[in-house]
Amino acid sequence: MATAAADNGASRTAAPAQNALSGRVVLSAADIDRALTRIAHEILEANKGPQDLVLLGIPRRGFPLAVRLARKLAAADPSIAAEQIVGQLDITMFRDDLSRQPTRPPSPTRLPAQGIDDKVVVLVDDVLYSGRTIRAALDALVDLGRPRIVRLAVLVDRGHRELPIRADHVGKNLPTSAAEKVRVRLAETDGPADASFLEDHVAIESPAGAETEERTR
């Protein structure tokens, strides 16, 4: 993860790097890290400790965010083993836009060994938009077990809800127009595929610079 420049020499290289990031950057790598730290502490506080916690990330970018959150939970409470509480929840076949979207290869669903029955499951995603992705995630979850509680943590809530769904933990509320596109870029998902990737960031792209976002989130 990128850190703030430590000296004047590093500062001089920051401006060209920033120009390579897409759109208007609203969260830097440091901002994302701070938001995840805060969310991790909120999760522990809401749960009154680490008991029965399970984090399930929604592919693609929800999963690496869930992994990062699990590590931050473990840093805050040494009784937590990060790798034992995190998993991935594929929602491909539960989406309501399959007939309108290109075929997507499903990602594997991976649950922690403890499963999700009678657990406090925190769904983790990058952007909350219409709520339809989370509806699909809830449907997928029902097929896997019966959690005691289901909560939702998102890095960005951009509004424009179409279903009565809200997040319990939000990194940043980001008012946008429906025509704008919110881009989340993470090293785990975007770095290997893009040689121009510089650092984690969240950016807003206007219609002039990007196609209008499909309303699937």
Side-chain angles (χ1 to χ4, degrees), residues 2-114:
T3 57
D7 55 37
N8 290 337
S11 298
R12 283 194 294 271
T13 63
Q18 184 70 16
N19 291 338
L21 301 181
S22 61
R24 174 169 59 89
V25 175
V26 291
L27 287 177
S28 66
D31 294 330
I32 292 172
D33 188 61
R34 282 191 293 269
L36 293 177
T37 298
R38 175 170 51 78
I39 289 173
H41 284 278
E42 287 179 0
I43 289 172
L44 283 174
E45 183 176 359
N47 196 54
K48 296 180 174 58
Q51 295 78 17
D52 298 325
L53 275 175
V54 171
L55 307 184
L56 294 183
I58 300 172
R60 295 178 56 226
R61 295 174 183 86
F63 177 64
L65 290 174
V67 172
R68 295 187 193 187
L69 273 174
R71 291 172 181 163
K72 289 186 178 295
L73 286 167
D77 189 321
S79 69
I80 297 175
E83 68 281 359
Q84 294 179 13
I85 67 167
V86 68
Q88 177 170 272
L89 179 65
D90 180 60
I91 65 166
T92 304
M93 300 313 297
F94 295 88
R95 301 183 67 99
D96 62 5
D97 61 351
L98 287 176
S99 63
R100 298 185 296 167
Q101 294 287 334
T103 303
R104 307 181 185 199
S107 302
T109 287
R110 296 191 293 264
L111 298 182
Q114 60 187 298

Side-chain angles (χ1 to χ4, degrees), residues 39 116 122 133 157 165 207:
I39 289 173
I116 62 170
V122 181
T133 291
D157 184 345
I165 289 172

Side-chain angles (χ1 to χ4, degrees), residues 51-54 114-122 146-150:
Q51 295 78 17
D52 298 325
L53 275 175
V54 171
Q114 60 187 298
I116 62 170
D117 285 336
D118 205 33
K119 303 299 181 185
V120 178
V121 173
V122 181
R146 192 176 189 275
R148 184 168 81 252
I149 299 172
V150 179

